[in-house]
Amino acid sequence: MRERLEALRTEALQELAGVSGLPELNELRVKYLGKKGALTEILRGMGGLSAEERPVIGQVGNEVRAAIEEVIGRKQEEFQQAETEARLREETIDVTLPGRTSAAGALHPLSKVIQEIEDIFIGMGYTVEEGPEVEQDYYNFEALNLPKNHPARDMQDSFYITEDILMRTHTSPVQVRTMERKKGEVPVKIICPGKVYRRDDDDATHSHVFTQIEGLVIDRNIRMSDLKGTLLQFVREMFGPNTQIRMRPSFFPFTEPSAEVDVSCFGCGGHGCRICKQTGWLEILGSGMVHPRVLEMAGYDPSEYSGFAFGMGVERIAMLKYGVDDIRHFYTNDLRFLRQFARV
Ligand code: PHE
């Protein structure tokens, strides 16, 4: 029996030396040490041994088992370690790789300026109104006291769709629509942002599509001083607390009296520089007291109510504020231009 046990040890150790992986190792463990394995098989014959032989052979059997177990344990550790190392190698993370950035969009500079202007007027109690870009002649001209023979109604100046329908040339029709809807109710206190269309040749300062924001206030006892105070408050929030305004007599068919409004140049504080072409002033908007005819046509009794209105080009404000030298930059969507405003 001793020889058989020794032979088993030799055979087992030889076979274990050539084992190639964990599954095979497990097979050999069962083959030699399992309940129905070779060692158990041999030791089953111990019953036929004498009382003196039995402990000696038992001792040899234990040694053989210990020797085989020792090798199996060592091999198992080796294989497990190799497996862990292989997994680590495979799952290595290169922390020096540049991260994946998600491309976040940003608001268009014109949208930003519109929002900024809206915020200022909302802070003064105004609401924002919008209206159609394809407009009826009545709202764009007629109700604004622009008579049929007015040059602005010429085919050369406006985009007509039919004789009665055109692309709006300003956002004033939204004011007419709002007054109509209010049916004589006061106060009216609105601003109207939106695109407008004119048959201009595009150049650095003209575009056949551009953006306006107009404002309208109607109530009892609204005076020109209210207009001036409102605009002063607006420009100081927009361009800085030391900004001054200057009103120059002007003409619009829908306001009387009318005034062009200049702001003191924020580039030089009014001393004269390149931005203001040495004049110290920048023209930014048109304004005036709503014409009695306009009030009347919209259902407001001009002997009881009065109002003021103003209108500005958003592109012009944005160009002045950000030092943009060509209006076409706003529409050509060159990312090199747009990205400069992503964090403004
Ligand atoms: N609607 C005028 C324009 O388009 C601007 C304006 C609005 C002027 C309100 C005076 C009052 O030029």
Side-chain angles (χ1 to χ4, degrees), residues 165-202:
I165 296 175
L166 73 160
M167 303 307 291
R168 66 181 178 196
T169 60
H170 47 186
T171 50
S172 308
V174 183
Q175 310 185 353
V176 177
R177 285 172 175 276
T178 308
M179 286 189 278
E180 235 179 40
R181 213 181 52 236
K182 287 255 196 178
K183 295 200 177 8
E185 232 177 75
V186 287
V188 175
K189 211 169 170 191
I190 57 164
I191 52 165
C192 318
K195 285 199 196 94
V196 299
Y197 301 79
R198 293 182 191 176
R199 285 181 72 153
D200 269 328
D201 286 327
D202 292 358

Side-chain angles (χ1 to χ4, degrees), residues 37-196:
L39 185 61
T40 317
E41 174 68 32
I42 297 173
L43 294 180
R44 207 171 279 143
M46 291 231 314
L49 294 177
S50 66
E52 297 87 61
E53 271 179 322
R54 207 174 291 154
V56 181
I57 295 301
Q59 170 84 20
V60 176
N62 283 343
E63 278 170 22
V64 170
R65 174 180 292 278
I68 296 175
E69 266 173 359
E70 198 257 331
V71 175
I72 288 180
R74 189 157 26 87
K75 286 271 177 198
Q76 180 160 333
E77 222 165 86
E78 275 171 28
F79 287 136
Q80 271 166 354
Q81 197 173 329
E83 203 171 82
T84 309
E85 271 166 22
R87 170 131 22 101
L88 282 177
R89 225 175 294 123
E90 206 172 280
E91 294 178 359
T92 309
I93 293 166
D94 182 355
V95 292
T96 66
L97 273 179
R100 285 189 203 122
T101 49
S102 53
L107 285 179
H108 190 278
L110 289 179
S111 302
K112 285 194 173 177
V113 174
I114 291 171
Q115 284 186 357
E116 196 178 340
I117 297 173
E118 282 179 357
D119 283 350
I120 294 172
F121 281 102
I122 286 168
M124 292 194 262
Y126 287 67
T127 54
V128 178
E129 293 287 342
E130 292 186 348
E133 290 173 25
V134 180
E135 188 52 282
Q136 294 170 36
D137 180 279
Y138 175 78
Y139 291 110
N140 196 78
F141 292 135
E142 193 88 37
L144 287 159
N145 200 31
L146 275 110
K148 285 263 188 259
N149 58 356
H150 194 281
R153 299 180 69 154
D154 199 289
M155 295 290 284
Q156 303 305 314
D157 291 319
S158 308
F159 290 106
Y160 278 88
I161 290 166
T162 68
E163 213 167 284
D164 254 347
I165 296 175
L166 73 160
M167 303 307 291
R168 66 181 178 196
T169 60
H170 47 186
T171 50
S172 308
V174 183
Q175 310 185 353
V176 177
R177 285 172 175 276
T178 308
M179 286 189 278
E180 235 179 40
R181 213 181 52 236
K182 287 255 196 178
K183 295 200 177 8
E185 232 177 75
V186 287
V188 175
K189 211 169 170 191
I190 57 164
I191 52 165
C192 318
K195 285 199 196 94
V196 299

Side-chain angles (χ1 to χ4, degrees), residues 169-172 175 198 212 214-215 252 254-255 286-288 309-312:
T169 60
H170 47 186
T171 50
S172 308
Q175 310 185 353
R198 293 182 191 176
Q212 269 195 338
E214 296 204 6
F252 297 102
F254 32 85
T255 47
S287 67
F310 55 88
M312 65 192 107

Side-chain angles (χ1 to χ4, degrees), residues 201-262:
D201 286 327
D202 292 358
D203 62 25
T205 53
H206 295 84
S207 169
H208 62 285
V209 190
F210 64 101
T211 319
Q212 269 195 338
I213 292 190
E214 296 204 6
L216 172 71
V217 172
I218 302 175
D219 208 338
R220 293 182 177 85
N221 301 317
I222 297 293
R223 301 164 193 190
M224 196 126 188
S225 51
D226 297 314
L227 170 63
K228 188 178 178 188
T230 301
L231 294 178
L232 190 58
Q233 175 69 21
F234 163 65
V235 299
R236 287 188 170 172
E237 287 194 45
M238 192 75 196
F239 297 113
N242 297 322
T243 312
Q244 296 294 339
I245 58 172
R246 174 172 87 169
M247 298 175 96
R248 286 178 290 110
S250 183
F251 174 80
F252 297 102
F254 32 85
T255 47
E256 182 57 36
S258 304
E260 296 281 357
V261 177
D262 299 340

